[in-house]
Amino acid sequence: MKEGNIVLLIAKDVSYLTEIRKGKLHTQDGIFDLNELKKKSFGEKIKTHLKKEFVIVKPNIVDILEKKAKRLPQIIMPKDVGLIIAYTGISPDSLVVDAGTGSGFLAIFLANYVRLGKVVTYEKNKKFAKIAKENISLSGLTNIKLKQKDIMKGIDEKNVDLITLDMKDAEKVIGHAYKALKPGGWLVVYSPYIEQVISVVKEIEKKNFSNVKTIENMVREWQIKEGARPKTIGIMHTGWLTFARKVG
Amino acid sequence: MKEGNIVLLIAKDVSYLTEIRKGKLHTQDGIFDLNELKKKSFGEKIKTHLKKEFVIVKPNIVDILEKKAKRLPQIIMPKDVGLIIAYTGISPDSLVVDAGTGSGFLAIFLANYVRLGKVVTYEKNKKFAKIAKENISLSGLTNIKLKQKDIMKGIDEKNVDLITLDMKDAEKVIGHAYKALKPGGWLVVYSPYIEQVISVVKEIEKKNFSNVKTIENMVREWQIKEGARPKTIGIMHTGWLTFARKVG
Amino acid sequence: MKEGNIVLLIAKDVSYLTEIRKGKLHTQDGIFDLNELKKKSFGEKIKTHLKKEFVIVKPNIVDILEKKAKRLPQIIMPKDVGLIIAYTGISPDSLVVDAGTGSGFLAIFLANYVRLGKVVTYEKNKKFAKIAKENISLSGLTNIKLKQKDIMKGIDEKNVDLITLDMKDAEKVIGHAYKALKPGGWLVVYSPYIEQVISVVKEIEKKNFSNVKTIENMVREWQIKEGARPKTIGIMHTGWLTFARKVG
Amino acid sequence: MKEGNIVLLIAKDVSYLTEIRKGKLHTQDGIFDLNELKKKSFGEKIKTHLKKEFVIVKPNIVDILEKKAKRLPQIIMPKDVGLIIAYTGISPDSLVVDAGTGSGFLAIFLANYVRLGKVVTYEKNKKFAKIAKENISLSGLTNIKLKQKDIMKGIDEKNVDLITLDMKDAEKVIGHAYKALKPGGWLVVYSPYIEQVISVVKEIEKKNFSNVKTIENMVREWQIKEGARPKTIGIMHTGWLTFARKVG
């Protein structure tokens, strides 16, 4: 393997994401000599100086987002991204428009999915755009185009398969989204507050959208060993997802 | 458009999936003359004899599964499929093994995702395999291989990225799954009953898996117009998803 | 036991509520000769003509509400009543004001609790008041006073321990409620729609209330025999409860 | 008011529970001169030396449990207590048996409800019994009898209206509970783990119980001001409640 590549080192209870480079990686489980990685392949093992063994694997997009990407508060969670993919039925060759980019998590996740297509993501905030750019670079994905502009002023793309909005005042973008979508294309709006949902649905109802549906999903993690029960404390709410499909 | 193609005809309140063929399609909204479709393109309109207007769009995989595929009871729902994709971070070029096929919904959904990869799905029940075969054919996807055999007797594939089990006695397949997975690959088991979860986790704990996690997710649909509130009646439970990642 | 008394006849799988009177009770499990009941005591048995055995027990308030009372749509459910009692900490000697009465379920439930106190319930709708009156009579409780008047015009009672509002435009009663409550007394508003919650909380914030809290509770029933899991279909939502405590 | 009485001092954002005694109460909001309280009545005001105003109110049982009682880990929560009262329909004159007492919260809560009846509570652990005794004394309730003995060895009471079990191995008490209950009386078992629920239901099925029902309830708190949404983090699980009614 080459310098500059990113690898995931996993053990039963812990894993580390690292770039292959000269030097050492200091961890709670001991020190890795990163030079060793150059002689290894995926699936092979490496030990820390404390003799703890790790397997070298190719990181996937979730590993990179979780362990390496810069985060902003209030990022959309995987459970919500999963619903967007599952409900809209988009395909690997779809064209997706996304705003606001924020840290870029949703754009990156969707771009990993539409490998034969493209994600265009709009972010007006310069600071956020900078963070997103770094995260996109980390992801290694080349089918994301980041536009530092305000989507409220219009959407350049036409014939879009999916538009995802995770931003304040999303209701003001519904008209632009309607125009940019192709017939049968989906709009998905993520809203942390119910007042936002109400405003968004009101605008959606003015256009020729079908299949308008608002959902929330709650994921409960369970502990199973030594007695099965849901974990006591957890995340009760992230946001609502509103789906609508352009008729044409 | 050609005879034999499948199209979706959508209006604000209803949509129909149909093959392009000679003859008529009788619906609650009037009669379509299907011959007309041959002269049209996606995005164009067609009217029933009652003058109700529909837009012609290319159906996606969800349209086909929902409107055309044969169903068996207890199929896994899109919300759960979404979580599998989102949590495991699989990519369009992944190799997936799935069992039991059942109606084939999960295999089809995953195959739509791994367009550059492959889904191999095992079903020992002849009747189910027949239904799944028809559904796979309907989907138009060519990267699904259906094996009519019992996965309890072993998994032929090696170096698998994701194995999904939605079957009774899934705990008896954990050993085979462990062998077939590549290091860093994911096992996901869908279990309607908590006793199944407990058995599965017990077997998983015997192998060198990391990131063992069991979750359930509850999706609540909301009504927004004329007062916002969750719909009164809904689906309280489908099944648990248990995730585990092979160390190696 | 005397004619006119109400008894509950229970078996493992079914139970019947009946008045003791001359004549027969026809049920799916056979015919009861009600005259027999006069010679029996609570805890004794009675058989139908099909030899199915039932035990005679004294019905409690839930039995009477469930099996005998007239219902209106949208009644508050026991789970929500339970929270009102548990969170406000009212006592058997409390004075409670309730509006609108509707079918009287909430008033009856609370009156069963405040046996040494009193529930005054306001209902402006004549038809509802008539139904509530019958249900109150059925309950046998004598500490409920039903007032057929509009609570929006004011609350006659002073120094109230608990005021429960389950009615449209409840936000217009907050001012009256504040005046009627004693310092440390609780206001609880039940709202099926979130817009109602928002309006109510806005009014509450204008007054000197503490401990303002809005909650929803979801009860899931489980099946345990032959595999443990939540029942598939159930009630996803009833209403929100907003609590507020008058400072003074 | 007299020395030794307990009062609650409430303001919009905070409240303090204190005994009336000589001396001062130091708080984050300033110092109260407790002597002043002797000249005051409920509903009157008192100020700290920082001029912050509080209203003097009579504390209810929830105030005392929340602010003064000694806690053990894993106490049953008010939401679950509310369901017990609401589903079983017990009355103020009911006889209740409870085990294990733990910190006594459930016994105290139920005793506040059955003011004209009695709660007998069993605790075999000496240390817990001591804590419960102090909490019962604090509550001021005189209708609770604490027995420091093991309920697995039998229940002394007969003709019981409600038996609540919140203890390990509760399945071993089902037989005793069945005998002690009167026909039509209710058994309620609180179980943090699903394996416990399964064991308990198995034992219940061996006896002549009707209305066997297991539920869990999830309470979500909402924030309403400045945007309405459920609070992000919260309690996902406490325990299951299993209800069963003795036929006879």
Side-chain angles (χ1 to χ4, degrees), chain A residues 12 55 60 63 78 82 86 88 91-92 109 112-113 115 207 209-210 214-218 220 222 240 245, chain B residues 12 60 63 78 82 86 88 91-92 109 112-113 115 207 209-210 214-218 220 222 240 245:
Chain A
K12 201 177 175 75
V55 179
N60 65 30
D63 297 320
T88 62
S91 292
F109 219 113
N112 182 57
Y113 184 93
R115 281 289 177 92
K207 300 284 176 184
F209 280 108
S210 67
T214 297
I215 62 100
E216 62 172 333
N217 77 329
M218 285 167 277
R220 273 209 309 190
W222 282 59
W240 285 268
R245 190 176 199 178
Chain B
K12 201 177 174 76
N60 65 31
D63 297 320
T88 62
S91 292
F109 219 113
N112 182 57
Y113 184 93
R115 282 288 178 91
K207 300 285 175 184
F209 280 108
S210 67
T214 297
I215 62 101
E216 61 172 334
N217 77 327
M218 286 167 277
R220 274 209 309 190
W222 283 58
W240 285 268
R245 191 176 200 178

Side-chain angles (χ1 to χ4, degrees), chain A residues 58-62 85 90-94 108-119 139 141 143, chain B residues 85-86 88-96 107-119 141 143-144 161-162 182:
Chain A
K58 197 179 166 188
N60 65 30
I61 201 69
V62 173
I85 293 171
I90 54 159
S91 292
D93 56 357
S94 293
I108 291 168
F109 219 113
L110 292 171
N112 182 57
Y113 184 93
V114 299
R115 281 289 177 92
L116 309 173
K118 194 164 71 168
V119 175
S139 77
L141 291 164
N143 60 337
Chain B
I85 293 171
T88 62
I90 54 160
S91 292
D93 56 357
S94 293
L95 171 61
V96 178
I108 292 168
F109 219 113
L110 292 171
N112 182 57
Y113 184 93
V114 298
R115 282 288 178 91
L116 310 173
K118 194 164 70 167
V119 175
L141 291 164
N143 60 336
I144 307 179
D161 292 288
L162 169 65
K182 76 175 178 198

Side-chain angles (χ1 to χ4, degrees), chain B residues 116-135:
Chain B
L116 310 173
K118 194 164 70 167
V119 175
V120 181
T121 181
Y122 288 72
E123 176 58 65
K124 66 174 180 178
N125 180 305
K126 209 172 168 175
K127 197 187 108 199
F128 292 175
K130 193 169 167 293
I131 290 170
K133 212 176 160 186
E134 289 173 40
N135 286 338

Side-chain angles (χ1 to χ4, degrees), chain D:
Chain D
M1 291 193 287
K2 291 181 196 166
E3 252 189 70
N5 282 2
I6 291 174
V7 297
L8 185 72
L9 309 172
I10 62 171
K12 201 177 175 74
D13 57 335
V14 69
S15 63
Y16 298 104
L17 193 79
T18 185
E19 204 179 326
I20 301 182
R21 55 175 170 80
K22 289 192 185 69
K24 312 276 185 186
L25 177 68
H26 292 256
T27 76
Q28 289 190 319
D29 298 282
I31 302 167
F32 290 96
D33 178 356
L34 295 177
N35 283 309
E36 275 186 51
L37 286 169
K38 294 179 199 162
K39 294 164 285 174
K40 305 263 184 177
S41 304
F42 289 130
E44 292 190 325
K45 287 169 185 165
I46 184 173
K47 287 184 187 171
T48 65
H49 84 291
L50 297 175
K51 306 295 176 210
K52 176 149 183 167
E53 201 174 82
F54 288 76
V55 179
I56 306 161
V57 311
K58 198 178 166 187
N60 64 32
I61 201 70
V62 174
D63 297 320
I64 290 167
L65 289 179
E66 278 187 1
K67 291 186 177 284
K68 196 97 181 180
K70 281 191 191 162
R71 283 154 179 281
L72 292 167
Q74 291 273 1
I75 55 161
I76 197 167
M77 289 181 69
K79 72 179 178 73
D80 296 310
V81 179
L83 279 184
I84 295 173
I85 293 171
Y87 280 27
T88 62
I90 54 158
S91 292
D93 56 357
S94 293
L95 170 61
V96 178
V97 167
D98 166 64
T101 312
S103 57
F105 275 43
L106 179 54
I108 291 168
F109 219 113
L110 292 171
N112 182 57
Y113 184 93
V114 298
R115 282 290 178 91
L116 310 173
K118 193 164 72 168
V119 175
V120 181
T121 182
Y122 288 72
E123 177 58 65
K124 67 173 180 178
N125 180 306
K126 209 171 169 176
K127 196 187 109 201
F128 292 175
K130 192 169 167 293
I131 290 170
K133 212 176 161 186
E134 289 173 40
N135 286 338
I136 291 166
S137 166
L138 262 176
S139 77
L141 291 164
T142 56
N143 60 337
I144 307 179
K145 181 162 185 182
L146 172 61
K147 292 187 172 180
Q148 198 199 306
K149 57 196 283 190
D150 185 354
I151 198 168
M152 296 224 187
K153 291 180 182 153
I155 297 174
D156 309 326
E157 292 69 30
K158 297 289 165 218
N159 241 9
V160 178
D161 292 287
L162 169 65
I163 296 179
T164 55
L165 300 177
D166 172 11
M167 55 184 288
K168 272 186 196 167
D169 302 324
E171 66 273 13
K172 293 178 185 163
V173 186
I174 307 300
H176 296 312
Y178 183 79
K179 262 183 272 173
L181 283 168
K182 76 174 177 198
W186 283 92
L187 168 67
V188 184
V189 184
Y190 176 79
S191 315
Y193 295 97
I194 193 68
E195 290 91 342
Q196 297 173 321
V197 175
I198 294 168
S199 300
V200 160
V201 170
K202 204 174 155 189
E203 287 305 308
I204 285 173
E205 293 294 336
K206 292 178 186 168
K207 300 284 176 184
N208 195 14
F209 279 108
S210 67
N211 299 76
V212 182
K213 186 169 171 167
T214 297
I215 62 101
E216 61 172 333
N217 77 328
M218 285 166 276
V219 168
R220 273 209 309 190
E221 194 179 339
W222 283 58
Q223 62 171 78
I224 302 297
K225 281 193 295 182
E226 290 152 40
R229 52 171 282 154
K231 293 196 173 178
T232 302
I233 303 289
I235 291 175
M236 297 300 257
H237 179 73
T238 53
W240 285 268
L241 289 171
T242 297
F243 295 84
R245 191 176 199 179
K246 178 176 174 175
V247 174

